mmCIF file of all heavy atoms in Angstrom:
data_model
loop_
_atom_site.group_PDB
_atom_site.id
_atom_site.type_symbol
_atom_site.label_atom_id
_atom_site.label_comp_id
_atom_site.label_asym_id
_atom_site.label_seq_id
_atom_site.Cartn_x
_atom_site.Cartn_y
_atom_site.Cartn_z
ATOM 1 N N MET A 1 32.694 -26.492 -69.922
ATOM 2 C CA MET A 1 31.999 -25.152 -69.781
ATOM 3 C C MET A 1 32.955 -24.129 -70.362
ATOM 4 O O MET A 1 34.098 -24.083 -70.138
ATOM 5 C CB MET A 1 31.913 -24.930 -68.214
ATOM 6 C CG MET A 1 31.098 -23.714 -67.937
ATOM 7 S SD MET A 1 30.908 -23.522 -66.129
ATOM 8 C CE MET A 1 30.314 -25.032 -65.556
ATOM 9 N N GLU A 2 32.283 -23.296 -71.182
ATOM 10 C CA GLU A 2 33.009 -22.260 -71.994
ATOM 11 C C GLU A 2 33.463 -21.243 -71.017
ATOM 12 O O GLU A 2 32.621 -20.575 -70.216
ATOM 13 C CB GLU A 2 32.116 -21.767 -73.016
ATOM 14 C CG GLU A 2 32.697 -20.672 -73.830
ATOM 15 C CD GLU A 2 31.769 -20.032 -74.879
ATOM 16 O OE1 GLU A 2 30.832 -20.877 -75.329
ATOM 17 O OE2 GLU A 2 31.737 -18.909 -75.039
ATOM 18 N N ARG A 3 34.645 -20.710 -71.099
ATOM 19 C CA ARG A 3 35.109 -19.551 -70.385
ATOM 20 C C ARG A 3 34.428 -18.299 -70.849
ATOM 21 O O ARG A 3 34.103 -18.159 -72.037
ATOM 22 C CB ARG A 3 36.710 -19.318 -70.640
ATOM 23 C CG ARG A 3 37.491 -20.427 -69.991
ATOM 24 C CD ARG A 3 37.923 -19.974 -68.715
ATOM 25 N NE ARG A 3 38.631 -21.135 -68.020
ATOM 26 C CZ ARG A 3 38.741 -21.158 -66.802
ATOM 27 N NH1 ARG A 3 38.109 -20.419 -65.880
ATOM 28 N NH2 ARG A 3 39.456 -22.255 -66.198
ATOM 29 N N ILE A 4 34.270 -17.489 -69.939
ATOM 30 C CA ILE A 4 33.627 -16.121 -70.187
ATOM 31 C C ILE A 4 34.606 -15.025 -69.751
ATOM 32 O O ILE A 4 35.079 -15.114 -68.655
ATOM 33 C CB ILE A 4 32.177 -15.968 -69.574
ATOM 34 C CG1 ILE A 4 31.460 -14.745 -69.967
ATOM 35 C CG2 ILE A 4 32.245 -16.169 -68.044
ATOM 36 C CD1 ILE A 4 30.081 -14.827 -69.553
ATOM 37 N N SER A 5 34.837 -13.998 -70.601
ATOM 38 C CA SER A 5 35.648 -12.940 -70.214
ATOM 39 C C SER A 5 35.074 -11.947 -69.329
ATOM 40 O O SER A 5 33.930 -11.850 -69.204
ATOM 41 C CB SER A 5 36.115 -12.229 -71.552
ATOM 42 O OG SER A 5 35.089 -11.358 -72.097
ATOM 43 N N LYS A 6 35.883 -11.029 -68.780
ATOM 44 C CA LYS A 6 35.386 -9.980 -67.826
ATOM 45 C C LYS A 6 34.440 -8.975 -68.655
ATOM 46 O O LYS A 6 33.438 -8.592 -68.032
ATOM 47 C CB LYS A 6 36.511 -9.238 -67.250
ATOM 48 C CG LYS A 6 37.338 -10.005 -66.320
ATOM 49 C CD LYS A 6 38.554 -9.156 -65.825
ATOM 50 C CE LYS A 6 39.490 -10.023 -64.914
ATOM 51 N NZ LYS A 6 40.551 -9.242 -64.445
ATOM 52 N N GLU A 7 34.786 -8.771 -69.894
ATOM 53 C CA GLU A 7 33.967 -7.979 -70.698
ATOM 54 C C GLU A 7 32.658 -8.417 -70.886
ATOM 55 O O GLU A 7 31.546 -7.830 -70.843
ATOM 56 C CB GLU A 7 34.603 -7.532 -71.985
ATOM 57 C CG GLU A 7 35.802 -6.771 -71.865
ATOM 58 C CD GLU A 7 37.027 -7.460 -71.340
ATOM 59 O OE1 GLU A 7 37.179 -8.719 -71.525
ATOM 60 O OE2 GLU A 7 38.062 -6.840 -70.865
ATOM 61 N N GLN A 8 32.617 -9.884 -71.082
ATOM 62 C CA GLN A 8 31.278 -10.512 -71.480
ATOM 63 C C GLN A 8 30.448 -10.620 -70.064
ATOM 64 O O GLN A 8 29.245 -10.518 -70.155
ATOM 65 C CB GLN A 8 31.447 -11.947 -71.865
ATOM 66 C CG GLN A 8 32.001 -12.028 -73.340
ATOM 67 C CD GLN A 8 32.556 -13.403 -73.520
ATOM 68 O OE1 GLN A 8 33.227 -14.116 -72.813
ATOM 69 N NE2 GLN A 8 32.187 -13.848 -74.785
ATOM 70 N N ILE A 9 31.044 -10.720 -68.882
ATOM 71 C CA ILE A 9 30.333 -10.725 -67.719
ATOM 72 C C ILE A 9 29.714 -9.385 -67.462
ATOM 73 O O ILE A 9 28.557 -9.218 -67.138
ATOM 74 C CB ILE A 9 31.325 -11.152 -66.607
ATOM 75 C CG1 ILE A 9 31.836 -12.515 -66.641
ATOM 76 C CG2 ILE A 9 30.589 -10.946 -65.147
ATOM 77 C CD1 ILE A 9 32.921 -12.852 -65.658
ATOM 78 N N LEU A 10 30.471 -8.278 -67.780
ATOM 79 C CA LEU A 10 29.958 -6.973 -67.618
ATOM 80 C C LEU A 10 28.875 -6.585 -68.491
ATOM 81 O O LEU A 10 27.895 -6.074 -68.104
ATOM 82 C CB LEU A 10 31.067 -5.883 -67.701
ATOM 83 C CG LEU A 10 30.710 -4.454 -67.324
ATOM 84 C CD1 LEU A 10 30.279 -4.388 -65.871
ATOM 85 C CD2 LEU A 10 31.924 -3.618 -67.526
ATOM 86 N N LYS A 11 28.988 -7.147 -69.696
ATOM 87 C CA LYS A 11 27.895 -6.883 -70.730
ATOM 88 C C LYS A 11 26.675 -7.613 -70.362
ATOM 89 O O LYS A 11 25.461 -6.908 -70.537
ATOM 90 C CB LYS A 11 28.462 -7.384 -72.003
ATOM 91 C CG LYS A 11 27.456 -7.217 -73.324
ATOM 92 C CD LYS A 11 27.940 -7.600 -74.515
ATOM 93 C CE LYS A 11 27.096 -7.352 -75.644
ATOM 94 N NZ LYS A 11 27.492 -8.007 -76.963
ATOM 95 N N MET A 12 26.732 -8.762 -69.676
ATOM 96 C CA MET A 12 25.558 -9.513 -69.249
ATOM 97 C C MET A 12 24.876 -8.751 -68.204
ATOM 98 O O MET A 12 23.643 -8.585 -68.072
ATOM 99 C CB MET A 12 26.118 -10.846 -68.619
ATOM 100 C CG MET A 12 25.135 -11.884 -68.543
ATOM 101 S SD MET A 12 25.900 -13.526 -68.100
ATOM 102 C CE MET A 12 27.287 -13.166 -67.045
ATOM 103 N N GLY A 13 25.728 -8.088 -67.306
ATOM 104 C CA GLY A 13 25.130 -7.233 -66.247
ATOM 105 C C GLY A 13 24.455 -6.058 -66.678
ATOM 106 O O GLY A 13 23.472 -5.559 -66.156
ATOM 107 N N LYS A 14 25.128 -5.338 -67.706
ATOM 108 C CA LYS A 14 24.445 -4.107 -68.292
ATOM 109 C C LYS A 14 23.238 -4.375 -69.076
ATOM 110 O O LYS A 14 22.529 -3.374 -69.451
ATOM 111 C CB LYS A 14 25.516 -3.547 -69.245
ATOM 112 C CG LYS A 14 26.748 -2.871 -68.473
ATOM 113 C CD LYS A 14 27.677 -2.163 -69.428
ATOM 114 C CE LYS A 14 28.717 -1.474 -68.694
ATOM 115 N NZ LYS A 14 29.724 -0.742 -69.573
ATOM 116 N N LYS A 15 22.834 -5.589 -69.329
ATOM 117 C CA LYS A 15 21.700 -5.858 -70.182
ATOM 118 C C LYS A 15 20.493 -5.332 -69.421
ATOM 119 O O LYS A 15 19.485 -4.924 -70.145
ATOM 120 C CB LYS A 15 21.661 -7.342 -70.241
ATOM 121 C CG LYS A 15 20.524 -7.988 -71.174
ATOM 122 C CD LYS A 15 20.806 -9.447 -71.323
ATOM 123 C CE LYS A 15 19.564 -10.231 -71.645
ATOM 124 N NZ LYS A 15 19.687 -11.541 -71.814
ATOM 125 N N HIS A 16 20.413 -5.269 -68.134
ATOM 126 C CA HIS A 16 19.293 -4.959 -67.340
ATOM 127 C C HIS A 16 19.405 -3.563 -66.747
ATOM 128 O O HIS A 16 18.612 -3.223 -65.994
ATOM 129 C CB HIS A 16 18.958 -5.929 -66.319
ATOM 130 C CG HIS A 16 18.721 -7.256 -66.915
ATOM 131 N ND1 HIS A 16 17.624 -7.683 -67.614
ATOM 132 C CD2 HIS A 16 19.474 -8.401 -66.830
ATOM 133 C CE1 HIS A 16 17.818 -8.916 -68.016
ATOM 134 N NE2 HIS A 16 19.009 -9.327 -67.581
ATOM 135 N N LYS A 17 20.436 -2.810 -66.989
ATOM 136 C CA LYS A 17 20.680 -1.603 -66.378
ATOM 137 C C LYS A 17 19.805 -0.482 -66.976
ATOM 138 O O LYS A 17 19.538 -0.460 -68.107
ATOM 139 C CB LYS A 17 22.085 -1.198 -66.247
ATOM 140 C CG LYS A 17 22.648 -0.283 -67.491
ATOM 141 C CD LYS A 17 24.090 -0.035 -67.195
ATOM 142 C CE LYS A 17 24.578 1.080 -68.133
ATOM 143 N NZ LYS A 17 24.361 2.447 -67.733
ATOM 144 N N LYS A 18 19.524 0.519 -66.105
ATOM 145 C CA LYS A 18 18.888 1.701 -66.607
ATOM 146 C C LYS A 18 19.916 2.723 -66.921
ATOM 147 O O LYS A 18 21.027 2.574 -66.592
ATOM 148 C CB LYS A 18 17.910 2.255 -65.530
ATOM 149 C CG LYS A 18 16.788 1.234 -65.249
ATOM 150 C CD LYS A 18 15.691 1.778 -64.295
ATOM 151 C CE LYS A 18 14.490 0.837 -64.322
ATOM 152 N NZ LYS A 18 14.286 0.149 -63.100
#
Side-chain angles (χ1 to χ4, degrees):
M1 185 177 311
E2 180 184 325
R3 289 267 178 204
I4 185 168
S5 71
K6 292 178 186 178
E7 292 79 21
Q8 291 170 314
I9 294 170
L10 189 57
K11 185 178 179 183
M12 200 171 35
K14 286 182 177 181
K15 186 173 157 183
H16 303 290
K17 95 176 190 87
K18 294 187 169 110

